[in-house]
Amino acid sequence: MISFENLSFAYSPGRQTLRNVNLEIAEGELCLLVGPTGAGKSTLLGCVNGLVPHFTGGTLTGRVVVDGRDTRKYQPQDLADVVGYVGQDPLKSFVTDIVADEIAYAMEQLGISPAAMRKRIEETLDLMGIAQLRERPLAELSGGQQQRVAIAAVLAAQPQILVLDEPTSALDPTAAQDVLSAISMLVHEVGMTVVLAEHRLERVMHAADSMIWLPGTGAAEYGKPAQLLRHTSVIPPLAALARIAEWEDVPLSVRDARRRIQTGQPVLQLAQSSTSTPPSDTPALQANKITVRYGNTLAVNGVDLALEPGTVTAFMGRNGAGKSSLLWALAGGIPSTGRLSVAGHDPREMTPDASRTLITLVPQTAADLLYLPTVADELAQADKESAAEPGTALAILQSLGIELTPEQDPRDLSEGQRLALALAIQLTARPAVVLLDEPTRGLDYSAKDHLTQIVKELQLAGKAVAISTHDVEFAAAASTRVVLMADGDIIADGDTRTVVTSSPAYSPQMAKVFAPFDVITPSEVAIRLDGEVPAGTKGNPRPNDGQVAS
Amino acid sequence: MKPTVLHPWAWWLWALCLGGVAGFTTNPLLLAWLALAVSTVTIMRRVDAPWARSVRAYFILAATVIVIRVFFQVLLGGSSGHTVLFVLPQIPLPEWAAGITLGGSVTLEPLLYSIYDAMRLAVILLCFGCANSLSSPRQALRSVPAALYEISVAIVIALSVAPQLIESIQRVAKARRLRGHSTKKLRGLIGLVIPVLGDAIDRSISLAASMQSRGFASRRGKRSAAALALMVSAAMLATFGVFLLLGTTWLALAVLCLIAGLLGVIAGMRLAGRRLQVTRFNPPTWSGREWLVAASGLLALANAIIFSGIQPGIYNPGTDPAIWPTLTLPALAPLVTGILVLIPTAPVRLQAPDAAVLVGRQRPLRPSLAAAMEGATTPAPSRVANSRVPKNGVLTQVGQ
């Protein structure tokens, strides 16, 4: 269906993004595209419908043939009836303002008769399960609905191939699941060929037929996910488990892994329990009855909270549960009512300059904090605005384990580097409380591991850290305490191990694989299939010894 | 019956005609009635969609126009009238600013004049705002002749940038505070502009990629040189006709030139439009109701033209000497004809989500999750539920 023949591509001469890619994707396949940030995933996806190089520019050698059409001869618009392309952020791709018009757009461009159009719109709406949304304004839909409309909008032209570039990166887990199940339905029920790039492999790899691995060198490797994941540098939790257990192939679902655990004889070695009781000295932040309202909507409903120094608290819950609003309110960034005290001061009553020496926040789009042309300028500005010794911000950045070229433009950095830069700038003011709003969005596995390290450093330095996140695996690895929120209220609050293993929705894959043992990260697991038990390393079954669902 | 949205140009024509009525009068009573009539029709007939929520902004804009005009009249107006209302301390200005007075006595007559004039502008602005709420400007721009297709696409996209720009300005301004900056100083402004611009550029690139990969410009023939030549020469002929009409006594030749020129332009547009082979889904139709709406607006305008000729004193009351403006019943005729539009039209609701959708949105991933969370949480009130769906969650179609 799609064949890459000797494909090489460079945006600028001398720096090849893709080198000698030779592979073929068969009809009806769900092919996962995996690689670290900057390895050329988007470039390879763009090659499929001709956006690369017709839209992006650059030099392409070799051939890409899609359903018999050579992309050198066909412009992206001439491939619209063969390939449907869906980007990361649905809102940025909408041309019209009503769902039905958006779906009709591609057909209007292809000159399909109004009667046929009408019929296809209805079929597409039903296929994606969004018939009730027909006349709704696009801006009012939830993220998952928007992405489904975006997929419907390309499906209406009846392509045989669907190309999706991280379609879930802007969505919360429920919406992401919604979109991914729609995609897997298209593969299994409609027989479409799908090429999908996705950061969070754990949620799609069980459905994939094949995988393309881009290690970042320009090469590409094609194969079965279970084999490829053995040696990729992108390591979802189950792949990490397979490496520890020295299994020959990677289990692609929790069920696979659980079966193997039961047939083999697992020995668990729980790492030193990090669930130490929170130090009972004075909290770094004390909040009582914090309430945030937007017009008539109650975003945070009278929350009481204390953050102790040297702890990492993860705030979890679905979109709109009030996590971000709470963090912004704690930082004094949005109006709120209730009592708030950071080292005896209320950040809401202080100037922005003064409050950031007590408490700081890195927003979801870290780029919003950056505005100068080079990294060096940003760091110098950070020293100046925090009245710190010149070089402080740079030293902090280096202590986070990040080396950046001073002349680089912050906008050219990867998501992870940008986040670290923003964090270093905010830490220059030496605050005791550090808040991170959705820092894992758009990070690949290695960047996420790095962030985990950074968070641990902050914890050791005695900061009180709070993170809002959707990423269960990250929360399990990085936090000491988890606060679950729903509808503006805190519905669960406790140490990470207890909270994440007792709730099926928020339990990491390792907890599901090893239930009833409360393992939460692969690093805690040591398995020998020969059944020999090293002394004193037996795992502890959970007290309730029950099923996963509590 | 399916709620049908009127052809957008019908509402625009109606609103522009009423704006035209406002242009013919400076009578504050008539203008106030006109504002009331236009906003009543808008509130009763507007669509329930995001773009229709800008009426308030236009009200504020209209009020601002009046306030600014009065402020400058009081401050800089001088004392050309003779009824002194009050006296402000006069600030002496240097030699080179002769002719400008700052402060001094404020007189009634010029003040009244500027209030009347500002009200006229405010009502015209309001008419624009109402047109905006009564029909989507995007829809209006999409129903243009095929030859103007590319231009209309560009304008439609430009229109959609504004709200997104406001959203990203708010987000970035919030983030700037986190770095301890104020956005009021110049430096802060740079810090605001750069991320916002970056956002806007990202967005337009994504949009362009999305349009191209969905087949934009895949059905275009070659630009026809003949059509272009025809249009340019026809436009020149029409312009020549207008000059003749204004300047000479050869009336017949002028009219002939004008008509031939206009016909040439129309033919050229048709010819140019033929190369575009896109189709329209659900194109708005122009039928009886649209004629009635347009007629109501045009009648109002015609009435205003006639009556302002018959009763100039009522349509444009003098301000020197200052007299109380009066209103006669016939003077209200444009209003009455304008408001007649309520009869052929019906309130429009876009399809509201039914209860099942709302529940569906809240549906957790797995049944076990629902069981685990039961009692602990209630579904988050969705924005949609708050703003658009009546309490019982039932589909509403008013007046159908």
Side-chain angles (χ1 to χ4, degrees):
Chain A
M1 198 69 188
I2 308 168
S3 69
F4 300 98
E5 297 165 17
N6 274 325
L7 172 72
S8 295
F9 179 78
Y11 283 106
S12 53
R15 286 184 51 203
Q16 285 196 320
T17 315
L18 296 172
R19 191 177 306 138
N20 281 328
V21 175
N22 271 301
L23 53 92
E24 193 154 334
I25 298 169
E27 192 174 344
E29 221 172 82
L30 171 54
C31 180
L32 266 186
L33 189 52
V34 180
T37 308
K41 294 197 293 292
S42 297
T43 308
L44 192 63
L45 288 180
C47 286
V48 178
N49 80 332
L51 280 178
V52 175
H54 294 297
F55 183 79
T56 58
T59 322
L60 183 139
T61 55
R63 246 156 56 105
V64 182
V65 181
V66 180
D67 194 28
R69 299 189 199 175
D70 187 333
T71 61
R72 284 182 303 186
K73 295 189 194 113
Y74 288 84
Q75 293 273 336
Q77 62 265 35
D78 305 321
L79 289 164
D81 54 341
V82 188
V83 186
Y85 178 90
V86 180
Q88 293 188 8
D89 188 347
L91 256 188
K92 283 183 183 168
S93 70
F94 289 150
V95 186
T96 66
D97 45 13
I98 298 282
V99 172
D101 290 348
E102 186 64 25
I103 296 175
Y105 182 78
M107 291 187 280
E108 292 180 348
Q109 299 308 315
L110 298 177
I112 289 164
S113 77
M117 219 189 289
R118 183 68 218 259
K119 179 165 157 282
R120 269 204 217 170
I121 285 176
E122 297 305 321
E123 288 166 358
T124 314
L125 285 168
D126 282 338
L127 189 64
M128 295 306 289
I130 47 175
Q132 324 84 336
L133 306 178
R134 188 188 293 104
E135 301 294 330
R136 293 272 301 280
L138 292 165
E140 288 188 349
L141 304 181
S142 72
Q145 288 173 329
Q146 282 175 348
Q147 193 58 284
R148 278 199 289 173
V149 172
I151 295 175
V154 301
L155 284 184
Q158 298 192 331
Q160 291 133 314
I161 301 167
L162 195 57
V163 172
L164 303 112
D165 190 0
E166 294 179 11
T168 62
S169 68
L171 306 178
D172 66 280
T174 320
Q177 204 60 46
D178 205 18
V179 170
L180 291 173
S181 59
I183 293 170
S184 112
M185 184 273 299
L186 289 174
V187 173
H188 289 114
E189 311 291 324
V190 187
M192 290 191 73
T193 311
V194 173
V195 187
L196 170 69
E198 171 69 46
H199 264 316
R200 302 265 299 275
L201 280 177
E202 59 265 23
R203 44 189 186 201
V204 282
M205 59 189 195
H206 65 273
D209 299 304
S210 61
M211 191 172 125
I212 299 173
W213 162 238
L214 297 174
T217 58
E221 202 178 337
Y222 175 84
K224 292 270 169 214
Q227 269 87 48
L228 276 183
L229 283 169
R230 287 270 306 153
H231 62 266
T232 57
S233 70
V234 164
I235 313 169
L238 289 177
L241 179 66
R243 287 175 202 198
I244 293 165
E246 292 172 4
W247 285 331
E248 265 162 33
D249 53 0
V250 175
L252 295 181
S253 66
V254 168
R255 190 180 71 140
D256 281 358
R258 241 185 118 75
R259 284 184 172 176
R260 286 187 208 187
I261 298 285
Q262 275 152 8
T263 50
Q265 285 187 329
V267 176
L268 302 182
Q269 182 172 35
L270 286 184
Q272 295 255 310
S273 174
S274 57
T275 62
S276 54
T277 48
S280 53
D281 51 357
T282 45
L285 177 145
Q286 179 73 49
N288 296 95
K289 298 260 164 289
I290 292 291
T291 300
V292 179
R293 278 175 191 283
Y294 303 113
N296 289 328
T297 317
L298 190 63
V300 177
N301 183 17
V303 162
D304 294 321
L305 186 78
L307 298 178
E308 273 87 21
T311 61
V312 179
T313 310
F315 287 83
M316 305 192 73
R318 57 175 96 85
N319 262 7
K323 305 181 300 287
S324 290
S325 298
L326 179 59
L327 290 193
W328 278 90
L330 294 181
I334 54 172
S336 59
T337 59
R339 269 198 52 225
L340 182 58
S341 157
V342 184
H345 300 280
D346 186 341
R348 290 171 297 184
E349 288 160 9
M350 304 166 77
T351 60
D353 254 339
S355 77
R356 65 192 288 273
T357 62
L358 297 176
I359 183 166
T360 193
L361 178 100
V362 177
Q364 205 173 91
T365 356
D368 289 351
L369 289 179
L370 310 171
Y371 61 100
L372 292 170
T374 67
V375 170
D377 286 350
E378 285 287 357
L379 292 173
Q381 175 64 22
D383 291 334
K384 217 161 74 187
E385 70 203 9
S386 306
E389 290 280 302
T392 314
L394 181 64
I396 292 175
L397 186 65
Q398 282 163 348
S399 76
L400 298 181
I402 300 278
E403 291 288 345
L404 299 177
T405 327
E407 299 82 38
Q408 230 175 339
D409 188 324
R411 306 213 142 253
D412 295 338
L413 300 175
S414 73
E415 289 282 346
Q417 291 171 327
R418 211 159 28 216
L419 178 70
L421 178 61
L423 184 59
I425 287 168
Q426 292 298 70
L427 287 176
T428 309
R430 304 260 170 229
V433 185
V434 181
L435 311 174
L436 303 172
D437 191 8
E438 287 286 345
T440 54
R441 183 170 282 189
L443 296 192
D444 57 19
Y445 285 99
S446 63
K448 236 161 27 185
D449 286 345
H450 206 117
L451 182 64
T452 309
Q453 287 309 313
I454 291 176
V455 169
K456 294 254 188 248
E457 296 282 324
L458 294 178
Q459 183 193 356
L460 286 178
K463 312 256 185 225
V465 184
I467 304 170
S468 78
T469 181
H470 285 305
D471 193 327
V472 184
E473 308 292 341
F474 172 74
S479 71
T480 58
R481 172 187 173 196
V482 169
V483 173
L484 284 187
M485 293 189 71
D487 208 8
D489 295 311
I490 290 181
I491 54 164
D493 182 358
D495 77 89
T496 301
R497 195 174 298 275
T498 320
V499 175
V500 298
T501 51
S502 65
S503 147
Y506 293 99
S507 57
Q509 285 193 315
M510 287 305 110
K512 291 177 191 160
V513 170
F514 288 104
F517 298 96
D518 47 7
V519 182
I520 55 176
T521 60
S523 61
E524 294 176 340
V525 181
I527 295 179
R528 290 216 217 120
L529 293 174
D530 56 13
E532 201 179 301
V533 186
T537 53
K538 236 182 169 152
N540 313 310
R542 245 184 287 152
N544 63 359
D545 202 20
Q547 292 302 303
V548 175
S550 55
Chain B
M1 190 182 130
K2 203 175 166 223
T4 44
V5 181
L6 277 183
H7 195 292
W9 286 109
W11 276 125
W12 277 87
L13 188 64
W14 176 84
L16 290 181
C17 283
L18 287 204
V21 172
F24 271 96
T25 176
T26 51
N27 184 332
L29 297 177
L30 188 59
L31 284 171
W33 276 105
L34 195 59
L36 189 68
V38 173
S39 34
T40 309
V41 170
T42 308
I43 287 163
M44 290 176 73
R45 293 293 180 261
R46 67 176 165 182
V47 287
D48 187 14
W51 62 82
R53 289 169 203 153
S54 54
V55 195
R56 216 170 64 123
Y58 279 92
F59 266 105
I60 294 169
L61 184 66
T64 317
V65 163
I66 299 177
V67 170
I68 290 179
R69 184 73 195 267
V70 169
F71 175 77
F72 280 105
Q73 179 63 40
V74 168
L75 196 67
L76 302 169
S79 44
S80 53
H82 34 74
T83 320
V84 177
L85 291 176
F86 51 91
V87 180
L88 289 175
Q90 186 161 0
I91 298 159
L93 291 177
E95 194 86 348
W96 48 263
I100 302 174
T101 46
L102 201 57
S105 51
V106 176
T107 51
L108 178 64
E109 291 80 7
L111 186 64
L112 264 188
Y113 176 77
S114 49
I115 291 178
Y116 290 0
D117 206 40
M119 273 184 79
R120 179 164 65 173
L121 183 57
V123 173
I124 294 175
L125 279 175
L126 199 62
C127 287
F128 265 100
C130 291
N132 223 356
S133 303
L134 287 164
S135 75
S136 154
R138 281 196 192 210
Q139 288 291 346
L141 280 165
R142 287 183 69 196
S143 327
V144 295
L148 302 177
Y149 184 79
E150 271 94 355
I151 298 171
S152 80
V153 168
I155 298 175
V156 165
I157 290 170
L159 278 181
S160 67
V161 166
Q164 291 164 351
L165 219 55
I166 290 170
E167 184 261 315
S168 63
I169 287 174
Q170 284 171 344
R171 199 192 69 230
V172 174
K174 224 167 67 166
R176 306 297 317 145
R177 259 181 62 92
L178 293 174
R179 267 186 89 168
H181 295 193
S182 96
T183 45
K184 306 226 163 60
K185 290 180 204 145
L186 185 65
R187 175 151 211 121
L189 205 64
I190 295 169
L192 190 68
V193 166
I194 288 178
V196 169
L197 271 186
D199 241 28
I201 292 171
D202 276 358
R203 209 184 292 268
S204 23
I205 291 176
S206 311
L207 181 62
S210 149
M211 286 172 67
Q212 201 176 4
S213 46
R214 284 197 273 160
F216 180 73
S218 64
R219 291 292 188 276
R220 300 283 186 286
K222 285 229 165 66
R223 259 173 214 287
S224 138
L228 190 67
L230 179 62
M231 271 208 282
V232 171
S233 49
M236 281 168 70
L237 192 64
T239 318
F240 181 62
V242 172
F243 270 110
L244 278 186
L245 199 64
L246 293 175
T248 68
T249 47
W250 299 332
L251 211 61
L253 180 65
V255 171
L256 203 68
C257 279
L258 194 59
I259 291 175
L262 287 178
L263 286 179
V265 168
I266 292 171
M269 295 248 271
R270 289 238 152 168
L271 209 60
R274 211 176 286 162
R275 74 191 178 89
L276 182 86
Q277 288 166 345
V278 302
T279 44
R280 268 303 298 276
F281 166 65
N282 214 355
T285 48
W286 189 280
S287 62
R289 288 193 310 155
E290 280 78 8
W291 281 118
L292 289 176
V293 169
S296 146
L298 287 170
L299 263 180
L301 188 61
N303 270 324
I305 295 172
I306 294 167
F307 283 106
S308 67
I310 298 175
Q311 305 181 309
I314 295 207
Y315 269 71
N316 293 298
T319 51
D320 193 13
I323 46 163
W324 191 248
T326 51
L327 212 50
T328 57
L329 218 48
L332 281 173
L335 277 185
V336 177
T337 41
I339 219 162
L340 279 179
V341 78
L342 286 173
I343 300 169
T345 58
V348 183
R349 289 261 178 285
L350 294 179
Q351 187 187 353
D354 57 29
V357 188
L358 287 174
V359 173
R361 253 196 80 185
Q362 312 297 338
R363 190 184 56 216
L365 254 179
R366 299 185 310 189
S368 59
L369 171 62
M373 303 282 236
E374 190 117 307
T377 80
T378 50
S382 83
R383 193 158 59 91
V384 180
N386 282 341
S387 58
R388 311 203 39 238
V389 181
K391 286 249 158 32
N392 53 9
V394 174
L395 249 153
T396 44
Q397 268 172 30
V398 183
Q400 294 296 318

